[in-house]
């Protein structure tokens, strides 16, 4: 069973002004530009380095706490205890999720399943953020196989007037609703019938929540710090885009050596445009104005990003740890072809485009206790931070 726990969220009076993209998809420069135009952007809380650089970790956390306290006074209001709904609409696609708090005990017991290792540096940063703010400020994206009864409750809740509704700069509509109190027990009972759920995005935030929970020594399920903020979506409503790889400081000789070496196991075709793979086992390559399509000759059950790492990045470019190699960067699949092509205008830059990982693959890896390579999935649209705050101080 998985515990779905109602909570009393703090929500902004002007959500369209406060809501912000997740801290980890925004650069410092982008955050500074947003905050300069809108000081109430939640990026000031989630990415305080945009306000002041060269801070110690402790001072960094204090600044995040200061900005959150400012918003408590100006914008954030406590809402009634209960379950909430977060709905995102992008074009013809819509995803509707349960906003609740989820148990650290379930996370530690493996009932909330992971598919990715956390990085120590990033983990320490998120731990300090949670410890300093005494709140979970960014929702963890969770998923589960479709459940008809839960979906019915969520969609029925959206029949009423929304608590907030706004359309962001990308044309995505964000809406929030409250589930009627009469459904509280039913929602909790549904959780008791679900053996496990999956972290789709937010592994570092989940790990930080568990670490901070353990600091108190209080493990009672009544203690708010033993639960973390999440939004739970059915897997068939989530959209995953690919995550591409860019290598820098690459010579023409290295690229030629790669193409020659791969010719035995891949069919290599030169193209007149950038290839965006639409099937498993296919990769696009762009370097110095030339484009290639690589198609693996034999079926391979591994994830495409894992195949790329094993067959190409490690043997031909000595990339042993993609998380720490300074030559490697990642590009989300929300970028247009024009934006991707611009990346290769730098002469020594090599771009690999990949096919997306599926939710079925993600859940299979998690079920098997495996780990996907870092940056295997780009979920779109992104959940906004600042719309629901889980405060436990």
């Amino acid at each position: 069973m998985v515990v779905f726990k109602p909570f009393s969220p703090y929500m902004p009076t002007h959500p369209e002004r406060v809501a912000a993209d997740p801290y980890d998809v925004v650069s410092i420069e982008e955050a500074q530009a947003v905050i300069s135009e809108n000081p109430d952007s939640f990026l000031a809380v989630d990415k305080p380095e945009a306000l002041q650089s060269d801070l110690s970790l402790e001072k960094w956390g204090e600044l995040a706490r200061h900005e959150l306290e400012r918003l408590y006074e100006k914008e954030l209001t406590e809402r009634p205890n209960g379950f909430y709904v977060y709905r995102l609409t992008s074009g013809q696609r819509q995803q509707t999720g349960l906003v609740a708090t989820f148990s650290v005990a379930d996370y530690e017991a493996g009932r909330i399943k992971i598919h990715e290792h956390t990085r120590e540096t990033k983990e320490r940063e998120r731990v300090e953020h949670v410890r300093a703010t005494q709140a979970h400020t960014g929702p963890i994206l969770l998923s589960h196989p479709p459940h008809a009864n839960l979906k019915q409750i969520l969609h029925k809740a959206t029949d009423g007037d929304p608590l907030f509704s706004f359309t962001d700069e990308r044309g995505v509509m964000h809406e929030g609703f409250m589930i009627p109190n009469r459904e509280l027990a039913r929602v909790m009972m549904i959780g008791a019938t679900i053996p496990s759920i999956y972290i789709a995005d937010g592994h570092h935030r989940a790990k930080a929540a568990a670490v901070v929970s353990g600091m108190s020594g209080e493990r009672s399920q009544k203690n708010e710090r033993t639960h973390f903020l999440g939004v739970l979506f059915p897997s068939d409503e989530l959209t995953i885009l690919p995550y591409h790889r860019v290598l820098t400081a690459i010579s023409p000789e290295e690229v030629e050596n790669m193409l020659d070496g791969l010719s035995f196991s891949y069919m290599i075709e030169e193209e007149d445009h950038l290839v965006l793979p639409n099937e498993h086992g296919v990769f696009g390559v762009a370097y110095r104005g030339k484009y290639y399509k690589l198609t693996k000759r034999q079926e391979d059950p591994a994830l495409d990003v894992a195949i790329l790492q094993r067959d190409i990045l490690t043997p031909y470019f000595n990339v042993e740890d993609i998380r720490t190699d300074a030559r490697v960067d990642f590009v989300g699949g929300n970028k247009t072809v024009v934006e991707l092509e611009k990346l290769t205008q730098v002469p020594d830059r090599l771009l690999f485009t990949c096919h997306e990982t599926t939710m079925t693959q993600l859940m299979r890896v998690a079920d098997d206790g495996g780990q996907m390579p870092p940056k295997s999935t780009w979920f779109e649209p992104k959940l906004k931070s600042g719309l629901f705050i889980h405060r436990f101080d």
Side-chain angles (χ1 to χ4, degrees):
M1 62 170 286
V2 178
V3 175
F4 297 167
K5 185 175 181 292
F7 73 119
S8 301
Y10 281 75
M11 298 174 63
T13 305
H14 302 93
E16 70 285 351
R17 184 170 176 81
V18 173
D21 285 337
Y23 72 93
D24 54 352
V25 301
V26 181
S27 69
I28 293 178
E29 294 76 18
E30 289 169 335
Q32 288 171 335
V34 170
I35 295 169
S36 67
E37 292 187 10
N38 174 22
D40 292 335
S41 168
F42 209 75
L43 283 171
V45 176
D46 269 357
K47 206 173 185 74
E49 62 268 34
L51 299 174
Q52 187 175 344
S53 60
D54 300 323
L55 292 171
S56 68
L57 188 59
E58 184 178 359
K59 293 293 184 182
W60 178 88
E62 289 176 2
L63 182 54
R65 174 73 182 189
H66 170 78
E67 289 298 314
L68 183 56
E69 291 286 356
R70 183 177 64 83
L71 287 179
Y72 281 141
E73 295 178 5
K74 182 180 180 181
E75 272 284 347
L76 299 173
T77 303
E78 186 176 13
R79 297 285 186 150
N81 186 69
F83 290 117
Y84 289 77
V85 177
Y86 185 3
R87 183 168 70 183
L88 299 92
T89 305
S90 178
Q92 300 300 310
R93 293 191 63 87
Q94 193 170 79
Q95 59 188 69
T96 306
L98 171 69
V99 185
T101 58
F102 297 85
S103 171
V104 166
D106 283 342
Y107 169 80
E108 293 176 335
R111 291 184 289 272
I112 298 177
K113 297 189 176 185
I114 65 173
H115 65 263
E116 183 180 302
H117 285 301
T118 55
R119 289 182 291 173
E120 185 177 348
T121 301
K122 193 174 177 182
E123 183 183 311
R124 285 200 306 268
E125 178 185 280
R126 284 302 106 189
V127 167
E128 178 58 25
H129 196 276
V130 176
R131 187 203 64 77
T133 61
Q134 292 290 285
H136 300 121
T137 59
I140 294 167
L141 178 61
L142 300 164
S143 187
H144 66 99
H147 191 290
N149 290 340
L150 183 56
K151 184 173 288 193
Q152 179 189 49
I153 293 171
L154 297 180
H155 284 269
K156 190 172 181 180
T158 65
D159 289 340
D161 293 333
L163 301 172
F164 63 80
S165 178
F166 66 94
T167 300
D168 68 19
E169 65 281 359
R170 299 181 186 88
V172 179
M173 178 181 288
H174 301 259
E175 299 173 283
F177 304 84
M178 186 175 182
I179 295 175
N181 285 336
R182 62 179 179 274
E183 298 283 16
L184 285 181
R186 189 175 171 210
V187 172
M188 288 188 282
M189 288 177 62
I190 288 173
T193 69
I194 296 177
S196 59
I197 60 177
Y198 302 82
I199 296 179
D201 194 19
H203 286 79
H204 289 89
R205 280 167 282 171
K207 179 66 173 179
V211 172
V212 174
S213 173
M215 289 177 178
S216 69
E218 173 60 68
R219 307 300 285 181
S220 169
Q221 293 298 295
K222 294 181 180 180
N223 187 330
E224 283 297 318
R225 71 172 60 237
T226 63
H227 293 75
F228 56 82
L229 175 66
V231 187
L232 179 67
F233 293 94
S235 59
D236 60 346
E237 293 184 9
L238 292 178
T239 300
I240 302 180
L241 300 180
Y243 232 131
H244 310 305
R245 274 72 169 127
V246 178
L247 273 63
T248 56
I250 302 301
S251 69
E253 292 75 20
E254 288 177 294
V255 175
E256 184 177 349
N257 180 54
M258 173 196 73
L259 294 173
D260 287 344
L262 290 176
S263 61
F264 296 100
S265 52
Y266 285 81
M267 182 170 62
I268 301 176
E269 303 168 85
E270 189 166 352
E271 304 283 351
D272 59 3
H273 60 277
L274 178 64
V275 174
L276 296 180
N278 58 8
E279 60 181 314
H280 175 65
V282 176
F283 303 94
V285 179
Y287 182 74
R288 293 194 174 186
K290 290 189 175 182
Y291 305 103
Y292 302 91
K293 179 181 179 181
L294 310 182
T295 304
K296 195 161 179 64
R297 296 184 185 276
Q298 293 186 338
E299 181 65 27
D300 192 324
L303 301 178
D304 285 74
V305 287
I307 295 172
L308 177 64
Q309 177 73 37
R310 183 196 65 211
D311 288 1
I312 300 175
L313 300 187
T314 297
Y316 292 101
F317 302 100
N318 297 315
V319 177
E320 298 293 342
D321 189 344
I322 199 169
R323 294 174 296 181
T324 59
D325 196 308
R327 297 169 298 162
V328 182
D329 201 0
F330 306 92
V331 185
N334 62 331
K335 299 296 185 184
T336 66
V337 170
V338 173
E339 290 174 313
L340 290 171
E341 288 178 339
K342 282 183 179 179
L343 293 174
T344 62
Q345 290 178 356
V346 177
D348 67 348
R349 192 176 285 167
L350 174 63
L351 169 67
F352 292 97
T353 55
C354 306
H355 187 250
E356 68 269 10
T357 302
T358 67
M359 278 303 300
T360 299
Q361 289 174 317
L362 183 154
M363 291 190 292
R364 185 190 310 128
V365 170
D367 286 340
D368 292 342
Q371 301 290 328
M372 298 201 309
K375 307 298 185 184
S376 296
T377 55
W378 178 280
F379 288 90
E380 190 74 20
K382 297 293 184 185
L383 307 185
K384 294 288 189 182
S385 296
L387 295 175
F388 302 92
I389 316 296
H390 176 224
R391 186 176 183 176
F392 56 82
D393 52 352

